[in-house]
Amino acid sequence: MDDGRAAVLALEDGTIFRGKSFGAPVDVTGEVVFNTSMIGYPELLTDPSYHEQIVVMTYPILGSYGVPSYSLCDEHGLPLHYESDSIKVKGYAIHSLSRPSHWSSDRGLEDWLQQEKVPGIQGIDTRAVTRRIRTSGTMLGLLKTSEGEIGLEQVKEELSRLTDPNNTDLVRNVSPSEPIHYVNNSDATVVVLDCGVKYGIVRSLLASGASVVRVPYDYSVNEILEFEPRRIVISNGPGDPKKCSQTIETARELLETDIPIMGICLGMQILALAAGADTYKLKFGHRAVNHPCMDLKTGRCYITTQNHGYTVSPESLVQTELATRFVNINDKTIEGITDNTRKVIGVQWHPESSPGPYDTRFLFDQFMEGEATS
């Protein structure tokens, strides 16, 4: 496991963590975030919402069940244990890399990162990194690998040149350039406005029996309506929702139709912006499989899988037709919205889980069956 290469994870505030490199021997920069999940690294690493992010895992041992084969697919050709066709994180930081031991393992975590040219660092105190981020907020950072010693002055010089990826349109890099079709034996079609959709969301929609079409995030309303959709989903994705100006405008026009709409994660934020609400960046985001969220309609609490750095401002909802449906028990931020007059729902978390608890998969059933969501 130890090839002798040194590695450094450096944060923009000057904090430096030294460890050993694994995966690809390349240097990367990005937004450093943490995830508290104990399982699900194949799904996590391939989640397009992590585009341009260096992910730090708080759980200390990773890689124990290896990496399953991409060839294990469902009837629609979607890999069962992945959320996209490649690793989407910029870099990966863990405490300890374990040798794989599992019947489904096709290769090790280190080999996978090496093959996909993604760097990792092991042997650092990832909980110390997490405490730093929780105290100071999400920061930009540098993951640097080298055959020899990595000098402090060199690291400081590179930190001075960091640029925030959230100032650009990140969704453009993870959205398809052409529509992608998944055909079921049904006349019903769901159009997914694809801002970086996870395969788990597509699988959940297909499970209803409907056909699914993934379209580019900047598709116009007229282009979407050509598919005669029964339902529309605005998907998860990376970055600042306010950078998706064309998607916001499309969502604004879609809200004027009578087609039921579901926004997931970034998609919920886009729906809120389209309706006249506002969004803001969280101090360190929600990234885990254990966030408790309360349904204000029923009083029930659900454990959810989350990966987002932005959310909706509660004060901004007052001037819109939107209402808060779910709140996060931990920090009381908005986790779900509904429309007071239309069949529209948005949630910040991932109802399909992948990985995580299945508590809220019923939201897909309600959405596809046309039940009232408000």
Side-chain angles (χ1 to χ4, degrees):
M1 292 290 182
D2 183 1
D3 60 7
R5 283 189 285 116
V8 160
L9 175 64
L11 305 180
E12 65 175 300
D13 69 351
T15 307
I16 295 176
F17 298 88
R18 294 186 180 273
K20 293 293 184 181
S21 171
F22 75 102
V26 297
D27 299 345
V28 296
T29 62
E31 183 180 40
V32 183
V33 301
F34 66 86
N35 187 296
T36 61
S37 302
M38 297 171 63
I39 59 169
Y41 52 84
E43 294 92 341
L44 183 155
L45 288 168
T46 54
D47 182 350
S49 296
Y50 282 117
H51 179 55
E52 291 296 331
Q53 291 181 330
I54 298 170
V55 180
V56 179
M57 302 298 293
T58 61
Y59 188 69
I61 303 174
L62 275 296
S64 59
Y65 57 89
V67 179
S69 172
Y70 261 107
S71 65
L72 297 174
C73 299
D74 64 13
E75 64 271 27
H76 297 283
L78 293 169
L80 295 177
H81 305 290
Y82 299 91
E83 296 307 319
S84 68
D85 60 0
S86 63
I87 295 178
K88 293 298 189 291
V89 308
K90 199 72 176 292
Y92 203 41
I94 66 175
H95 177 269
S96 177
L97 181 64
S98 176
R99 293 187 181 277
S101 178
H102 196 273
W103 66 268
S104 69
S105 177
D106 180 60
R107 52 189 159 168
L109 176 58
E110 180 176 25
D111 296 330
W112 186 30
L113 265 66
Q114 177 79 35
Q115 292 161 6
E116 301 226 5
K117 298 179 173 55
V118 177
I121 182 173
Q122 62 170 314
I124 65 172
D125 186 346
T126 56
R127 297 187 182 187
V129 183
T130 300
R131 286 194 297 270
R132 175 70 63 174
I133 294 173
R134 284 182 61 89
T135 300
S136 302
T138 298
M139 287 181 273
L140 302 180
L142 165 71
L143 176 53
K144 191 171 183 60
T145 64
S146 173
E147 293 292 344
E149 188 68 19
I150 301 174
L152 180 60
E153 292 304 316
Q154 178 186 12
V155 171
K156 287 182 177 180
E157 195 277 330
E158 293 190 36
L159 285 177
S160 69
R161 293 187 278 109
L162 293 177
T163 59
D164 189 350
N166 292 299
N167 291 331
T168 63
D169 181 4
L170 296 179
V171 172
R172 181 179 300 276
N173 300 322
V174 294
S175 183
S177 58
E178 299 291 339
I180 301 172
H181 296 257
Y182 303 89
V183 179
N184 265 329
N185 187 24
S186 170
D187 293 332
T189 297
V190 179
V191 169
V192 176
L193 199 51
D194 189 345
C195 302
V197 71
K198 292 171 64 183
Y199 284 161
I201 292 173
V202 179
R203 283 192 290 265
S204 296
L205 296 171
L206 289 169
S208 72
S211 296
V212 173
V213 182
R214 293 164 53 193
V215 302
Y217 81 116
D218 55 358
Y219 246 34
S220 69
V221 169
N222 290 337
E223 289 173 307
I224 291 171
L225 295 181
E226 286 180 4
F227 295 104
E228 300 181 351
R230 299 276 186 88
R231 303 281 188 276
I232 294 172
V233 173
I234 306 175
S235 83
N236 64 290
D240 185 344
K242 292 178 181 177
K243 298 299 180 182
C244 302
S245 55
Q246 178 58 58
T247 317
I248 295 168
E249 179 56 34
T250 298
R252 184 177 294 117
E253 295 181 45
L254 288 172
L255 286 172
E256 296 175 0
T257 72
D258 58 358
I259 304 173
I261 304 173
M262 171 182 272
I264 298 175
C265 202
L266 180 75
M268 178 189 123
Q269 299 154 23
I270 288 171
L271 272 178
L273 290 167
D278 195 14
T279 58
Y280 67 97
K281 189 174 184 180
L282 294 165
K283 183 176 180 180
F284 47 79
H286 297 161
R287 298 174 181 89
V289 297
N290 59 357
H291 275 269
C293 293
M294 177 174 286
D295 185 344
L296 299 181
K297 179 181 177 182
T298 65
R300 296 190 66 177
C301 186
Y302 300 97
I303 303 302
T304 66
T305 295
Q306 303 204 7
N307 175 15
H308 64 99
Y310 294 79
T311 191
V312 176
S313 165
E315 296 81 8
S316 70
L317 290 180
V318 177
Q319 304 301 320
T320 74
E321 294 183 351
L322 300 175
T324 302
R325 168 72 183 271
F326 297 92
V327 295
N328 190 295
I329 297 298
N330 292 334
D331 61 12
K332 305 302 184 290
T333 55
I334 292 178
E335 293 282 7
I337 56 175
T338 54
D339 191 292
N340 292 324
T341 59
R342 295 163 289 198
K343 291 183 177 179
V344 173
I345 185 169
V347 290
Q348 287 281 188
W349 69 84
H350 296 262
E352 80 288 349
S353 62
S354 301
Y358 298 158
D359 293 31
T360 58
R361 284 191 172 181
F362 70 88
L363 291 173
F364 284 114
D365 297 331
Q366 289 182 355
F367 177 66
M368 295 304 297
E369 292 167 7
E371 294 183 22
T373 55
S374 58

